[in-house]
Amino acid sequence: MTDTRVVVVGAGPAGMLLSHLLDAAGIDNVVLERQSQAHVLGRIRAGVLEWGTVETLRAAGLGDRMDAEGHVHDTINIAWRGEEVLGINTHDLVGTRMMAYGQTRIQEDLFAAASDRGAEVIFEADDVALHDLDSDGPCVTYGGGERITCDFVAGCDGFHGVSRVSIPYGIRTEYEKVYPFGWLGILSETPPLSNLLYANHERGFALCSMRNPMLSRYYVQAPITDTVDDWSDDRFWTELFARLPVSQSEHIVTGPSIEKSLAPLRSYVCEPMRWGRLLLAGDAAHIVPPTGAKGLNLAVSDVRYLARAIATHYAGDDTYLDRYSSMALRRVWGSVRFSWWMTNLLHRFPDQTEFDQRAQEQELAYLASSVHAQRAMAEQYVGLPYE
Ligand code: FAD
Ligand code: DHB
């Protein structure tokens, strides 16, 4: 039997950043991860960081490689009606830029920092179960009878983890919207477009994103019933080009995909994010469709509040701990609403009527014609302020 102050369940970005911040504050913690380290590092996910995320990583001493290899950019392009392209320059509109730096790199940086400080991260921990969360002495069991007692359990175990479902039904409320399509994404070792490009097209949504000067990430909206085997590289490139204005696609360099995946789109929030000694952070508590590039940023945002709440608890003040759920949820709902809005603005829905279609076109036309609308979009895209 081991004893620690905080058991962190999940070694994704939320769990590893929390462990890093707790160690920096001198608070003992153990991370339990169901998968191997190689598996966690192999997942290709988010790519765009809000400036608040960049600053949080820098303040934690995790910014060196991001600053050296990440790509700072200030414009997102939005294409629609096949040819029009609207540039949203977030720096001109709201004074803030973004950083392209993949989640895979952040995950590598977090594991390297954990190894440097000798953090206790247990991989391939099977059958993690949480106990006595509504008492002052919770504990976590795993594997063949291992047991850790602690003061707090941080549930950072993603959407399919055990933490959220440990909150009894009568206490947790769930809000959910499932979208009737997915995103088929590829990585290719080719130079990306110089700016992010989101496209609304009658054949469906498309997105051109980046990881580094020789690594591009592209997505097309696809039926959720498809599989990656339905999408040869040729079919993917043909479909992507069909959805983009020629003024943009003529700059795209194609090549073999080195990764291909199909992700479902969902909006989901669990309230509250705290129950007794259990505190949820990241995808364990909420999911956003990737359209607003918010999932990873929200995980960092929760952890920022959570690390402060735990550190001030040990300094004798529970104000932030008691307010953790409500503070985190304010930013969560801001991003959930924005991601839902961007998803509605840019996708073709299978049951879209002529009316819906015209309303969507009008919204894009309004965005193109109004600097106020552009500023509102830019303000939310780069991330609302922290409390
Ligand atoms: P996760 O990264 O999911 O980490 C949770 C960890 O907990 C995992 O390592 C998991 O193995 C572990 N775990 C789960 N259950 C247990 C258990 N029982 N015991 C122990 N450990 C457990 N966001 C964007 O902004 N842009 C994108 O393009 C984008 N693409 C995505 C594609 C996919 C397929 C997915 C799933 C997500 C994507 N996201 C994207 C969202 C973004 O990656 C997540 O919001 C981010 O990973 C959240 O971090 P997290 O640490 O909260 O959760
Ligand atoms: C990615 C970029 C985005 O802007 C977005 O909305 C979703 C995903 C990416 O690079 O993976």
Side-chain angles (χ1 to χ4, degrees):
M1 184 161 107
T2 323
D3 188 30
T4 189
R5 286 191 151 171
V6 183
V7 172
V8 179
V9 186
M16 289 309 294
L17 179 61
L18 180 64
S19 169
H20 185 95
L21 296 176
L22 292 177
D23 278 335
I27 298 166
D28 239 26
N29 64 89
V30 176
V31 182
L32 294 178
E33 165 60 49
R34 181 167 57 185
Q35 304 287 355
S36 67
Q37 183 166 356
H39 180 98
V40 175
L41 285 170
R43 295 189 293 227
I44 308 296
R45 291 179 169 181
V48 180
L49 306 184
E50 295 176 355
W51 211 254
T53 300
V54 169
E55 284 174 346
T56 304
L57 294 173
R58 281 182 184 159
L62 293 162
D64 290 353
R65 187 160 75 131
M66 172 182 72
D67 284 324
E69 296 179 14
H71 171 60
V72 176
H73 61 108
D74 56 19
T75 301
I76 54 172
N77 285 324
I78 300 177
W80 80 102
R81 280 207 216 107
E83 63 214 54
E84 293 185 51
V85 180
L86 166 67
I88 304 271
N89 183 311
T90 61
H91 188 252
D92 289 351
L93 289 162
V94 293
T96 309
R97 298 190 160 92
M98 303 148 278
M99 170 86 81
Y101 188 62
Q103 181 167 332
T104 319
R105 296 286 168 99
I106 294 179
Q107 196 78 63
E108 285 168 4
D109 297 344
L110 285 163
F111 284 142
S115 149
D116 288 348
R117 68 179 188 276
E120 197 167 347
V121 185
I122 299 167
F123 290 97
E124 299 180 60
D126 290 331
D127 302 326
V128 170
L130 318 183
H131 311 275
D132 304 325
L133 295 166
D134 55 347
S135 77
D136 287 344
C139 82
V140 178
T141 54
Y142 67 98
E146 304 291 336
R147 181 183 174 88
I148 312 179
T149 56
C150 56
D151 298 336
F152 295 103
V153 178
C156 302
D157 47 353
F159 189 62
H160 301 288
V162 290
S163 298
R164 184 182 64 252
V165 293
S166 304
I167 303 179
Y169 257 124
I171 290 172
R172 97 184 112 99
T173 306
E174 300 179 312
Y175 303 86
E176 184 171 47
K177 183 173 277 293
V178 176
Y179 301 89
F181 40 72
W183 276 19
L184 188 88
I186 68 156
L187 264 183
S188 104
E189 287 173 319
T190 50
L193 292 181
S194 43
N195 290 312
L196 281 170
L197 173 66
Y198 290 91
N200 172 314
H201 192 274
E202 61 190 23
R203 298 178 69 89
F205 169 80
L207 168 60
C208 308
S209 182
M210 58 195 72
R211 289 293 178 274
N212 63 50
M214 264 313 285
L215 194 56
S216 307
R217 181 77 165 149
Y218 296 100
Y219 299 94
V220 293
Q221 174 186 343
I224 197 61
T225 44
D226 279 10
T227 67
V228 289
D229 296 334
D230 296 325
W231 287 84
S232 65
D233 287 1
D234 277 351
R235 180 176 174 208
F236 183 90
W237 290 117
T238 305
E239 192 56 44
L240 179 72
F241 276 54
R243 297 180 187 192
L244 301 178
V246 174
S247 66
Q248 301 289 316
S249 62
E250 67 187 1
H251 300 295
I252 292 180
V253 182
T254 62
S257 67
I258 57 165
E259 194 265 356
K260 203 179 271 166
S261 56
L262 183 67
L265 268 68
R266 178 196 304 268
S267 300
Y268 171 92
V269 182
C270 164
E271 295 192 7
M273 287 171 61
R274 174 186 177 188
W275 180 58
R277 294 297 180 124
L278 172 66
L279 300 135
L280 301 178
D283 281 13
H286 40 74
I287 293 286
V288 286
T291 325
K294 292 292 177 209
L296 172 62
N297 291 296
L298 270 186
V300 171
S301 156
D302 290 350
V303 166
R304 212 171 126 142
Y305 290 131
L306 182 51
R308 178 175 64 180
I310 295 175
T312 50
H313 164 82
Y314 286 111
D317 177 1
D318 276 350
T319 315
Y320 284 123
L321 191 60
D322 292 339
R323 291 178 59 206
Y324 169 65
S325 181
S326 58
M327 283 178 101
L329 281 167
R330 260 197 292 281
R331 281 194 102 251
V332 166
W333 274 107
S335 295
V336 165
R337 193 212 73 82
F338 179 67
S339 306
W340 162 83
W341 174 78
M342 266 191 81
T343 302
N344 284 317
L345 181 71
L346 295 171
H347 290 77
R348 281 303 139 119
F349 286 70
D351 59 354
Q352 197 154 330
T353 63
E354 281 296 313
F355 177 90
D356 298 331
Q357 174 65 32
R358 294 299 287 265
Q360 197 187 52
E361 281 172 18
Q362 175 53 31
E363 181 135 25
L364 285 160
Y366 171 61
L367 186 63
S369 69
S370 163
V371 73
H372 303 291
Q374 291 169 18
R375 195 164 279 135
M377 180 180 186
E379 181 184 37
Q380 295 173 85
Y381 193 86
V382 299
L384 292 170
Y386 288 93
E387 282 181 68

